[in-house]
Amino acid sequence: MLAMRRVFLSNEDGLLPISRLFSVLLAIVLLAASPAFAQTAAAPVTDTATQLEQANTDLDRAGKQLASIRERVDKHQDDDTRLVDLKVEAEALNRSILAISIATRPRLDAIKARQTELGDPPAEGAPAEADVVVEERKKLAAERNQINALTGEAENLSIEATKLSNRITEIRRQLFTEAILKRTDISADLFTEATAAMAEETQTLGRTITAW
């Protein structure tokens, strides 16, 4: 009876048989080891190379869009309504270009911070660094150069987009001026007459002042 009690606890105690208890514990261990249970709240690893590749792709697409807007501006220089839409499109594109550049800043800041932590490479004659540190220095430098090149390209595209937007504004100003001149029916002869009259009045005023 004592042996039986050691293997199976009595129902009066409200406990399970040891063999069944072992099965329950084993099930818990297996559940904890499963992929679904083992998921954590850690952020996914960021693939910087993929981000830079995507940014370059976005800049290439932005360059093509800018060229398309420029072509349409040349085609519709006499259509103020179309020019208004094209200006809005150019400004929106400029904002998206700037956003591409801004998105690289956190990574660039992280690279700079890590390079500061590493400090300068050992001076000539000093003990060499570990290979893993040398390799990290190379990767950080290469990535920083890539980001700098990307932001430089984004800046150039942004400048071109701004110039195009300003050009559209100037074209619309000229269209407005031409429309005003047509409505008031001001001709070249009228401008000539007004200029001659102004010159005559100036001479008269000059003689009057001299007479004083």
Side-chain angles (χ1 to χ4, degrees):
M1 293 297 294
L2 180 59
M4 289 296 294
R5 185 169 180 80
R6 288 178 179 175
V7 178
F8 293 96
L9 299 180
S10 67
N11 289 335
E12 294 177 355
D13 296 333
L15 300 176
L16 296 174
I18 293 178
S19 58
R20 187 175 178 184
L21 181 61
F22 177 77
S23 298
V24 173
L25 292 175
L26 180 60
I28 293 174
V29 172
L30 292 176
L31 179 62
S34 66
F37 190 87
Q39 289 180 349
T40 65
V45 177
T46 301
D47 189 347
T48 306
T50 302
Q51 284 186 334
L52 291 178
E53 183 178 350
Q54 182 62 50
N56 280 311
T57 299
D58 292 341
L59 284 182
D60 288 341
R61 182 167 55 250
K64 293 177 182 178
Q65 291 175 345
L66 184 61
S68 173
I69 297 173
R70 188 180 290 111
E71 291 176 359
R72 283 177 283 160
V73 169
D74 293 337
K75 183 178 179 180
H76 301 288
Q77 292 193 43
D78 297 329
D79 189 339
D80 186 68
T81 301
R82 292 298 299 274
L83 290 174
V84 171
D85 294 337
L86 290 172
K87 182 175 176 64
V88 171
E89 188 174 345
E91 291 177 346
L93 179 61
N94 195 9
R95 289 192 294 271
S96 68
I97 292 171
L98 293 175
I100 295 172
S101 178
I102 292 173
T104 65
R105 289 181 183 176
R107 179 55 187 163
L108 182 60
D109 291 341
I111 291 174
K112 291 179 179 179
R114 180 55 181 158
Q115 288 178 324
T116 299
E117 291 177 357
L118 292 176
D120 297 329
E124 185 177 355
E129 290 182 313
D131 292 342
V132 65
V133 176
V134 174
E135 188 64 23
E136 183 180 8
R137 286 186 186 277
K138 291 180 180 179
K139 289 182 178 180
L140 290 173
E143 189 177 344
R144 183 170 178 175
N145 289 337
Q146 289 179 340
I147 293 176
N148 287 338
L150 187 146
T151 54
E153 182 180 353
E155 182 178 355
N156 291 336
L157 277 177
S158 177
I159 292 173
E160 291 300 317
T162 300
K163 288 181 178 179
L164 181 58
S165 179
N166 292 340
R167 180 189 168 201
I168 294 173
T169 299
E170 182 59 30
I171 294 174
R172 294 189 63 225
R173 184 180 293 112
Q174 292 176 359
L175 290 177
F176 178 76
T177 301
E178 291 173 0
I180 292 296
L181 292 177
K182 289 179 181 179
R183 290 177 182 176
T184 54
D185 195 23
I186 299 178
S187 63
D189 292 338
L190 184 57
F191 272 119
T192 302
E193 293 176 4
T195 301
M198 183 178 296
E200 183 177 351
E201 290 296 331
T202 301
Q203 292 176 357
T204 301
L205 179 61
R207 288 194 295 269
T208 301
I209 293 176
T210 302
W212 286 352

